[in-house]
């Protein structure tokens, strides 16, 4: 006689229970926030410096909200960053240290949004998700806080990118389309997330190809595509082509250097130093090729699902932006030399890409021994890099002679 009884599932370890997991993640957030606050207290100064005299000029001149929102700083617009600064500086008596603190709050909110995103696409939180505060409350992005802080350039962009990914998890097509149009508009008009404006119409077109949609829902996506194109046109209306560097030329005299440069930008959160020797160049090239492969695979999975996979739409959006930004940085800044890729103020733009990699590992861990083994490795690396405070200060600057 064959027994039909099933073996009871092994009890879940107490340390992975929802309550304990929540406490672990909350403790990590508090600990990293306190550590970052100590870092800010020690290294920020009450002094306007460098690019701040440019993008704050509208505040000095008493410009109105619309002019501040549309303010162009190099190849980007300030958007909601300038509007927040129009409140912050008068409220704090023009205290420059408050700007660094506001940037830290922006990245902290991005970290909280990332936790929500993990729960939306991977289900219940697990202790491994403690990696999120180590990613977003790191001091590796030291320039974001202590050199010439610009909340529109990095912190708000990271927050908007995570918010953009969260909108893709909305089940109602009407609500999803509305939220995507709004978030895309804010991304396009604030910081270097304007690069997302190029990809959003393609993303919406893919979503519109889902066989599950009816005619009305397809029309919603069609209207959203039109709105996203209008947002891009709005960005470029009155836009003055400005390079972030005086030495810019395209194409570069040695175009093959674009690849390792972009790789150095991608790997900057893990402190791969941009040095023009064979070993470092090979490592950077490998990092870029790996990210291109990752984005390509995510795009393939998303297209194959004909827009039905929420998970892969999130992954391709986050990782695709990171790759676009790193590639754009290479085109715009390679003339400054390979070591300019060391600029830590670009780290916030790489965080969504790292989050995408983590989400894939996290989602695959239950059925893949390799992914399961990578979870503690990813966590240890993030803790190790996030703990290097002195290294963040000493190596934070890549160059101090180029706008944006």
């Amino acid at each position: 006689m064959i027994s039909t009884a099933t073996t009871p599932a092994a009890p879940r370890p107490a340390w992975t229970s929802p309550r304990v997991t929540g406490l672990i993640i909350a403790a990590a957030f508090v600990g990293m926030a306190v550590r970052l606050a100590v870092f800010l207290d020690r290294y920020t100064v009450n002094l306007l410096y460098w690019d701040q005299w440019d993008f704050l000029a509208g505040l000095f001149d008493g410009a109105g909200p619309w002019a501040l929102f549309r303010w162009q700083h190099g190849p980007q617009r300030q958007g909601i960053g300038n509007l927040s600064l129009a409140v912050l500086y008068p409220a704090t008596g023009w205290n420059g240290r408050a700007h660094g603190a506001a940037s830290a709050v922006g990245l902290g909110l991005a970290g909280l949004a990332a936790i929500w995103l993990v729960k939306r696409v991977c289900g219940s939180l697990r202790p491994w998700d403690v990696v999120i505060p180590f990613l977003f409350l790191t001091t590796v992005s030291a320039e974001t806080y202590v050199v010439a802080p610009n909340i529109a350039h990095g912190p708000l962009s990271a927050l908007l990118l995570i918010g953009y990914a969260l909108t893709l998890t909305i089940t109602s097509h009407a609500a999803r389309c509305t939220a995507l149009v709004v978030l895309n508009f804010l991304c396009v008009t604030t910081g270097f997330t304007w690069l997302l404006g190029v990809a959003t119409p393609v993303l919406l077109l893919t979503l519109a190809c889902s066989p599950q949609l009816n005619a009305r829902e397809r029309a919603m996506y069609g209207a959203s595509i039109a709105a996203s194109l209008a947002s891009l046109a709005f960005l470029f209306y009155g836009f003055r082509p400005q390079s972030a560097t005086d030495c810019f030329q395209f194409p570069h005299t040695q175009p093959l250097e674009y690849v390792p440069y972009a790789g150095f930008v991608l790997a900057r959160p893990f402190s791969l130093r941009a040095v023009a020797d064979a070993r470092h160049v090979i490592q950077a090239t490998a990092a870029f090729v790996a990210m291109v492969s990752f984005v390509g695979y995510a795009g393939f999975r998303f297209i194959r699902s004909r827009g039905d996979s929420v998970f892969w739409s999130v992954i391709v959006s986050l990782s695709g932006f990171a790759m676009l930004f790193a590639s754009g940085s290479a085109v715009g800044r390679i003339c400054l030399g390979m070591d300019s890729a060391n600029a830590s103020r670009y780290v916030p733009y790489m965080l969504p890409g790292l989050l995408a990699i983590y989400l894939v590992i996290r989602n695959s861990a239950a059925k893949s021994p390799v992914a399961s083994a990578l979870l503690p490795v990813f966590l240890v690396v993030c803790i190790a890099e996030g703990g290097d405070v002195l290294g963040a200060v000493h190596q934070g600057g890549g160059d101090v002679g180029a706008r944006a």
Side-chain angles (χ1 to χ4, degrees):
M1 179 177 177
I2 301 176
S3 173
T4 58
T6 57
T7 304
R12 184 174 179 175
W15 70 280
T16 66
S17 68
R19 177 182 173 82
V20 175
T21 295
L23 290 174
I24 291 173
I25 295 173
F29 261 107
V30 171
M32 291 298 289
V34 170
R35 177 176 169 277
L36 183 55
V38 172
F39 174 86
L40 294 173
D41 183 63
R42 180 174 182 181
Y43 292 107
T44 56
V45 295
N46 186 12
L47 177 71
L48 297 183
Y49 174 64
W50 190 21
D51 282 357
Q52 290 180 314
W53 291 104
D54 185 354
F55 65 78
L56 293 176
L59 292 179
F60 302 148
D61 299 337
W66 184 248
L68 292 174
F69 181 78
R70 294 275 289 164
W71 195 269
Q72 183 179 346
H73 173 55
Q76 67 170 61
R77 292 195 187 276
Q78 285 291 109
I80 57 175
N82 259 9
L83 296 183
S84 63
L85 294 177
V87 175
L88 177 71
Y89 273 111
T92 60
W94 282 86
N95 190 326
R97 288 163 61 88
H99 197 160
S103 296
V105 170
L107 283 174
L109 292 174
L112 292 174
I115 286 289
W116 187 14
L117 182 62
V118 171
K119 186 173 178 60
R120 293 283 291 177
V121 300
C122 295
S124 300
L125 296 178
R126 306 288 289 181
W128 299 118
D129 299 328
V130 75
V131 73
I132 301 299
F134 287 98
L135 277 176
F136 284 86
L137 295 177
T138 178
T139 55
V140 172
S141 55
E143 283 182 277
T144 304
Y145 316 115
V146 301
V147 177
N150 181 359
I151 195 170
H153 185 10
L156 278 181
S157 296
L159 177 58
L160 288 172
L161 282 165
I162 305 302
Y164 183 95
L166 278 168
T167 65
L168 293 170
T169 68
I170 298 174
T171 55
S172 165
H173 293 289
R176 181 194 294 177
C177 287
T178 302
L180 273 174
V181 167
V182 172
L183 263 296
N184 178 70
F185 176 77
L186 295 177
C187 286
V188 165
T189 53
T190 304
F192 281 98
T193 38
W194 70 262
L195 292 168
L196 202 62
V198 180
T200 297
V202 179
L203 177 72
L204 286 167
L205 180 61
T206 307
L207 291 172
C209 291
S210 171
Q212 310 300 324
L213 301 181
N214 57 39
R216 181 173 175 272
E217 291 166 340
R218 290 188 198 282
M220 290 179 185
Y221 281 102
S224 299
I225 292 172
S228 66
L229 291 173
S231 295
L232 200 57
F234 177 77
L235 165 71
F236 288 113
Y237 178 74
F239 191 88
R240 302 181 307 277
Q242 294 181 12
S243 170
T245 61
D246 295 332
C247 60
F248 172 77
Q249 68 176 69
F250 183 81
H252 182 50
T253 53
Q254 300 181 55
L256 289 179
E257 291 185 350
Y258 286 139
V259 172
Y261 191 102
F264 282 126
V265 175
L266 287 166
R268 183 63 181 85
F270 297 122
S271 298
L272 176 62
R273 302 298 296 165
V275 180
D277 61 35
R279 180 171 65 87
H280 287 85
V281 166
I282 290 172
Q283 291 174 338
T285 300
F288 181 76
V289 171
M291 180 56 85
V292 169
S293 302
F294 182 84
V295 174
Y297 178 73
F300 167 75
R301 292 292 300 269
F302 177 53
I303 292 172
R304 192 175 72 170
S305 74
R306 297 182 65 183
D308 276 346
S309 174
V310 170
F311 180 80
W312 288 109
S313 68
V314 167
I315 300 305
V316 76
S317 298
L318 295 177
S319 60
F321 174 82
M323 189 184 72
L324 274 176
F325 180 84
S327 301
S329 298
V331 171
R333 300 171 58 81
I334 187 64
C335 65
L336 294 172
M338 199 67 74
D339 63 341
S340 64
N342 289 322
S344 65
R345 63 184 175 277
Y346 295 152
V347 168
Y349 292 102
M350 297 299 103
L351 298 181
L354 293 179
L355 177 61
I357 293 172
Y358 172 71
L359 289 174
V360 171
I361 297 173
R362 166 79 153 74
N363 199 49
S364 305
K367 51 186 177 294
S368 169
V370 174
S372 183
L374 284 175
L375 278 175
V377 173
F378 193 89
L379 175 60
V380 169
V381 170
C382 289
I383 292 175
E385 291 302 326
D388 187 10
V389 177
L390 293 178
V393 175
H394 296 154
Q395 302 176 7
D399 60 276
V400 191
R403 172 184 290 175

